[in-house]
Amino acid sequence: MAGEMQRLNYQIPLMIGGATTSKAHTAVKIQPAYQNNTVVYVPDASRSVFVASQLLGEKNTEFGAEIAAEYALVRERVSKRQKNTRRLSYKNALDNAFPIEWQSYTPPVPRFEGTEQFSDYPLERLVDFIDWTPFFITWDLHGKFPAILDDAVVGEQARALYADAQRMLEQMIDEKWLSARAVVGFWRAQQLNGDDIRVFDTSMLPLADLHQMRQQLQKRPGEYNLSLADFIAPAEHGHDYIGGFCVTTGHGVAERVKAFEEAHDDYNAIMLKALADRLAEAFAEHMHQRVRTEFWGYAANENLSNDDLIRERYQGIRPAPGYPACPDHTEKSTLFTLLGAEEACGVALTESMAMYPTASVSGLYFSHPQARYFSVGKIGQDQLESLAIRKNMPMDTLARWLAPNLD
C-alpha cells in the first residue's frame, strides 16, 4: 500500500496500526516505501486522535522530522541485529524439526467431529476471563492489572477508567448491547510434507490442507526450528486431531458506536470498542477452556486461575493465522471454510483477511502436551518458493502477504 501511494504521488500522512504490525515493521518496511509524507505507527485506536492532531497541527513538520529520526534509529538497530543472525536452508530447517515420540503417543479423541455452533452466548460467563492489562494499554496507561490501580503515577486515572468500564460492562450485559456467537470444530489430521497439515472428515476423506511455516534462523545446539505441523502426528502413525474456532462479541457494536459518535461522545465510543475487544478475547479464552475440559477433554481435571490462563499455563495452544507462529493471513480463508464461520457466527473476512465484526477472534487448537507458541521470524526464498507451490499461489502474491517475514 505504501509503495502504491508513493507511485501515485500521494501527499498525505500515513498512519499504520493493527495487531500484526509494529514500530519496527513500520520503520523497516513501510516508511522507506513512502517518502512523500510522514509515516507513523499507532499502537491502538485511543492514540490515533493524538497522532492525527500532531500530523495536522502547526508543528506537523517538526513532528514528522522527529518520527523520521526515531525510525532511522530503529532501522539501524534492526540492521545490526540481522547481521548477527544466520539463516539455515529450508531443507536443513526441516531436518531440525521438533522431535516427538509419536510411537508412544495416543491422540485424545474429541467429543464430536465436525462443527458445533453457539448462538447468543451469555456475556456474563465471559467477564471472569477478561484480561484487563491490554484494556489499559488501549488508553495509553501501561502497567499490569490489578497493580496498575495502585500505581503512584497513573493509579488514580486507572481507577477512574476501570470504574467507568465496570459501569458500561454491567449495562452492556443487562441491556444486551452485544450478541456473542461462536463456532468450534474438530477434524482428523495428519502431518504432511513436513510443514502441511491435512484435514479429514470422519471417513478420512481429505477436506483441506493447512499450510504452515517453519523457523529458519539457526538455533543453538539442542534447540529446534519449529513449525506448527510438528505438533500433529505424521501419516505413518495413524491420524491425529486438530481443532479450529471463531468467536465474536462484535454483533451490535457498530450501531452503538455510531450512536455515541453522532452524539460527539468519543470517550464512550472508544470505551465500547475496547470492551467489545476484551470480551472477544475473553470468549476465546473461555471456549478454549471448555475445549480442554469438555469438548476435547484432554485436560478434564484442569483447575487454573484467570492469571494462570493469561500466563498460558494450560496444555495445548490456540495459534491464529496472521500471528507469529503462523504469519500467513491467507490461511484464515481455509479455516473459515472448514468452520463455515460466516454462516455459523456471522463473521466475514475482508479482502485484507481482517475479520468483521472486528471484535472477533479465530484460530486453531492443538492438544499435544509439547505444543508451544513461538515466532516464525524471517524466512528465506527457498521456503517462500516451497510454500507458494504447496498453496498453488503465485509467488509474488504470497510475497506481498508475507512481506514482514521476508528479508
Side-chain angles (χ1 to χ4, degrees):
M1 181 183 70
E4 188 69 3
M5 289 175 67
Q6 180 73 22
R7 186 183 71 82
L8 296 173
N9 200 30
Y10 275 64
Q11 300 292 328
I12 60 175
L14 175 60
M15 294 194 294
I16 302 296
T20 57
T21 64
S22 66
K23 182 184 290 186
H25 177 238
T26 302
V28 173
K29 294 289 187 179
I30 300 177
Q31 189 194 48
Y34 183 58
Q35 298 291 320
N36 287 355
N37 210 305
T38 301
V39 178
V40 56
Y41 170 67
V42 185
D44 53 66
S46 67
R47 293 285 295 165
S48 60
V49 176
F50 169 78
V51 173
S53 67
Q54 295 297 307
L55 291 170
L56 299 174
E58 294 181 0
K59 296 184 177 181
N60 61 335
T61 303
E62 180 181 333
F63 178 72
E66 291 174 355
I67 293 294
E70 180 185 359
Y71 288 5
L73 291 174
V74 172
R75 284 193 295 274
E76 183 179 355
R77 288 198 299 268
V78 171
S79 177
K80 289 179 179 177
R81 188 164 63 244
Q82 288 176 341
K83 289 178 181 177
N84 294 326
T85 60
R86 180 185 171 195
R87 188 172 59 238
L88 299 178
S89 71
Y90 181 44
K91 179 182 182 304
N92 287 344
L94 278 166
D95 290 341
N96 194 42
F98 188 82
I100 291 178
E101 293 294 331
W102 293 111
Q103 295 88 340
S104 59
Y105 178 73
T106 301
V109 180
R111 192 193 73 193
F112 63 88
E113 294 185 51
T115 61
E116 189 165 315
Q117 302 176 27
F118 302 84
S119 299
D120 199 22
Y121 205 87
L123 292 176
E124 57 268 24
R125 295 187 66 179
L126 311 181
V127 173
D128 289 343
F129 291 84
I130 292 177
D131 179 2
W132 286 101
T133 297
F135 169 80
F136 291 102
I137 294 174
T138 298
W139 298 91
D140 207 22
L141 297 177
H142 295 269
K144 185 174 173 58
F145 179 84
I148 192 174
L149 300 179
D150 297 314
D151 185 88
V153 178
V154 300
E156 183 178 355
Q157 186 179 357
R159 288 192 297 274
L161 188 66
Y162 185 61
D164 288 345
Q166 295 303 305
R167 282 191 288 271
M168 178 175 282
L169 187 59
E170 184 177 354
Q171 189 174 9
M172 290 165 63
I173 294 171
D174 290 345
E175 299 178 9
K176 299 185 182 299
W177 285 10
L178 310 181
S179 172
R181 299 170 63 183
V183 58
V184 170
F186 301 104
W187 307 275
R188 302 181 184 202
Q190 293 175 342
Q191 182 194 121
L192 182 72
N193 300 325
D195 275 341
D196 293 333
I197 300 169
R198 179 152 292 174
V199 178
F200 302 88
D201 65 12
T202 55
S203 300
M204 290 302 290
L205 294 175
L207 296 174
D209 287 345
L210 297 167
H211 305 284
Q212 307 307 312
M213 295 167 61
R214 184 171 297 277
Q215 296 173 324
Q216 275 189 260
L217 292 183
Q218 187 174 37
K219 300 302 185 99
R220 292 189 292 266
E223 294 184 349
Y224 302 98
N225 292 82
L226 302 179
S227 165
L228 287 175
D230 292 344
F231 307 120
I232 295 294
E236 58 265 29
H237 295 290
H239 71 262
D240 204 338
Y241 292 90
I242 193 169
F245 71 96
C246 181
V247 302
T248 182
T249 55
H251 295 296
V253 173
E255 297 81 1
R256 291 277 178 178
V257 167
K258 182 180 179 182
F260 281 131
E261 291 175 340
E262 288 177 347
H264 306 290
D265 188 352
D266 291 336
Y267 176 75
N268 278 316
I270 294 173
M271 176 70 75
L272 176 54
K273 287 188 282 189
L275 287 175
D277 287 342
R278 287 297 89 214
L279 282 170
E281 295 289 349
F283 201 2
E285 193 73 79
H286 172 67
M287 292 305 289
H288 194 192
Q289 184 187 66
R290 294 196 67 185
V291 163
R292 297 190 303 271
T293 60
E294 299 176 53
F295 307 145
W296 208 336
Y298 58 81
N301 297 320
E302 176 183 290
N303 184 22
L304 299 176
S305 68
N306 192 39
D307 188 59
D308 290 329
L309 298 179
I310 292 169
R311 294 173 180 269
E312 299 167 355
R313 291 173 175 162
Y314 43 74
Q315 178 182 327
I317 55 175
R318 60 168 194 278
Y323 281 76
C326 45
D328 184 0
H329 280 279
T330 65
E331 287 298 300
K332 259 187 232 159
S333 62
T334 305
L335 173 62
F336 269 53
T337 299
L338 286 168
L339 290 169
E342 187 164 2
E343 181 179 352
C345 59
V347 179
L349 293 174
T350 68
E351 289 184 358
S352 61
M353 294 295 164
M355 289 176 285
Y356 188 83
T358 54
S360 304
V361 182
S362 63
L364 299 167
Y365 293 129
F366 291 77
S367 66
H368 196 279
Q370 291 176 280
R372 65 179 73 170
Y373 294 106
F374 59 91
S375 176
V376 167
K378 300 291 185 181
I379 66 168
Q381 186 78 4
D382 49 357
Q383 182 167 182
L384 180 68
E385 291 173 358
S386 172
L387 191 60
I389 293 169
R390 283 150 39 211
K391 290 171 68 71
N392 193 28
M393 179 182 289
M395 199 161 74
D396 57 344
T397 301
L398 183 59
R400 287 197 294 273
W401 282 104
L402 297 180
N405 295 88
L406 303 178
D407 284 334

